[in-house]
Amino acid sequence: MNASKILAAAALSLLAAAGAHAETYDGVHTVNSTVSRAEVASQAVAAARAGNEYGDGASAGAQAFNSTADRATVQAEAVAKAHDPLASLDRRAFYRDEVPQAYKKPSVSFTRQAGL
């Protein structure tokens, strides 16, 4: 039994020695830049004003949007959604991605009534 323990310990130590590769620390690198701070600042301002050159709508400018919904209808839907206590339930937040039946019942009240 002792031989098997020694052999297992030797095998584990070989695995640990083979698997442990340490990285070397080179210290803090110095920056060798040929550009002055003022030039870098002016380049940064120009890049910030240019916007995202690789975006799809970067060069499109402001795009017009024509809504077909009535303002009162949109406001009524927003108010109804805001007052619905079950609207913010996300099925992904529950076990097996299913909202429990207790939350689906309309009689569920999320407010406490004062006991008189």
Side-chain angles (χ1 to χ4, degrees):
M1 198 66 159
N2 283 339
S4 64
K5 289 182 181 179
I6 293 173
L7 198 61
L12 284 175
S13 64
L14 282 174
L15 280 173
H21 295 288
E23 295 182 12
T24 60
Y25 177 68
D26 296 333
V28 179
H29 297 280
T30 58
V31 178
N32 298 325
S33 178
T34 58
V35 183
S36 70
R37 284 182 181 256
E39 291 172 337
V40 170
S42 66
Q43 290 173 0
V45 169
R49 288 185 180 156
N52 185 2
E53 298 174 2
Y54 302 105
D56 293 336
S59 60
Q63 298 177 359
F65 176 74
N66 296 327
S67 176
T68 58
D70 182 28
R71 184 179 186 93
T73 306
V74 172
Q75 183 179 9
E77 289 175 2
V79 168
K81 195 73 162 175
H83 290 292
D84 184 10
L86 305 177
S88 64
L89 290 179
D90 189 0
R91 66 179 180 82
R92 295 174 294 178
F94 294 96
Y95 178 68
R96 292 194 179 165
D97 293 341
E98 292 182 18
V99 176
Q101 289 297 326
Y103 288 107
K104 294 180 183 178
K105 294 179 184 177
S107 64
V108 172
S109 175
F110 292 104
T111 60
R112 292 186 178 179
Q113 297 293 328
L116 298 175

